Amino acid sequence: MNKHSRIPTSDKAAPGRLTVNLCTAVIIPAALLLVLTATTVGAQAEGNPSTDSRLQPGATLAPPVIKDLRIVITDVIAVSSTRDERREDTTVQVKVTLGAKILFGKDSAKLSPAARARIRDVSRDIRTARSSKVTIAGYTDDLGSTAHGLILSRQRAEAIRDALRPELGAGVTYTVQGFGEAHPIADNKTRSRRELNRRVAITYPVGGER
């Protein structure tokens, strides 16, 4: 046997290593068993469904929670569309989108005479629906600066609101928004498609919502 591979026979070194190894072998499984036991007992005490789903003696069920669930159905009823106007009727609202070309001059927020006649038609429909809330949103194409588009689109929406007010009278609240070039409905690559993006949308509720 090679002298370098002999097992030490010192009375001081060998028993010491043997004692440490035995303690380690005994302490680790004991600690693991203690953790597993505590976890299982704790889970049972808390009524963890994965360990015991039965109702414990003396326990009672929590009172039922009843929540008001309201489902709003927004099915489209009808859609009519031309080059300069689109109307979408759903079970909860009507949305009329008018092309800016029939409402305003180029880069202007001043309503044309033809626009006022069209707005009177829209106001008549709003009165028929007995709606007291009207939302008006203006949009532009991507020509010019973003800041200019936001200002112009809001000014045009405000012009529609000011035209509707005398037609609808008191008791109607208005929400006016200017989105500029955001939310296009067509790309802006051609003149005709940019015209589609220059628009004002008028939305009002129906079906009993006031």
Side-chain angles (χ1 to χ4, degrees):
M1 177 181 294
N2 191 308
K3 65 179 180 178
H4 296 293
S5 62
R6 290 181 299 174
I7 299 175
T9 58
S10 171
D11 292 339
K12 295 181 179 180
R17 284 199 300 273
L18 181 59
T19 301
V20 171
N21 291 339
L22 287 176
C23 289
T24 303
V26 172
I27 291 173
I28 292 177
L32 181 60
L33 178 61
L34 180 60
V35 171
L36 292 176
T37 303
T39 303
T40 304
V41 172
Q44 292 177 348
E46 294 173 0
N48 192 320
S50 63
T51 58
D52 188 357
S53 60
R54 294 173 297 177
L55 189 65
Q56 299 300 317
T60 59
L61 293 174
V65 178
I66 302 176
K67 295 184 178 181
D68 182 18
L69 179 61
R70 181 184 180 190
I71 300 176
V72 178
I73 301 175
T74 58
D75 292 339
V76 175
I77 298 175
V79 175
S80 60
S81 181
T82 64
R83 179 70 185 177
D84 298 318
E85 180 178 339
R86 176 183 173 88
R87 176 182 170 118
E88 182 177 305
D89 291 71
T90 73
T91 52
V92 297
Q93 69 178 24
V94 174
K95 181 178 181 180
V96 179
T97 302
L98 302 175
K101 184 178 179 179
I102 66 172
L103 299 175
F104 309 99
K106 182 179 180 181
D107 201 29
S108 172
K110 183 178 180 180
L111 288 169
S112 65
R116 295 188 179 278
R118 186 66 194 93
I119 290 172
R120 282 195 294 269
D121 293 338
V122 175
S123 65
R124 183 181 61 249
D125 293 339
I126 295 174
R127 288 196 304 270
T128 300
R130 295 183 297 167
S131 300
S132 61
K133 297 178 182 179
V134 178
T135 299
I136 307 168
Y139 306 87
T140 64
D141 57 28
D142 65 349
L143 296 181
S145 67
T146 299
H148 177 71
L150 289 171
I151 294 172
L152 180 61
S153 62
R154 183 173 179 85
Q155 288 176 340
R156 287 177 169 179
E158 290 173 344
I160 299 293
R161 176 201 60 195
D162 294 343
L164 284 173
R165 275 177 169 167
E167 298 290 338
L168 297 177
V172 177
T173 58
Y174 299 88
T175 300
V176 178
Q177 299 168 299
F179 292 102
E181 63 188 57
H183 313 300
I185 57 176
D187 60 55
N188 288 285
K189 295 181 179 180
T190 64
R191 178 180 178 180
S192 61
R193 298 186 73 78
R194 286 194 296 270
E195 286 181 354
L196 295 175
N197 291 328
R198 298 195 292 265
R199 66 200 192 277
V200 177
I202 305 169
T203 306
Y204 54 92
V206 296
E209 183 178 352
R210 303 289 180 260

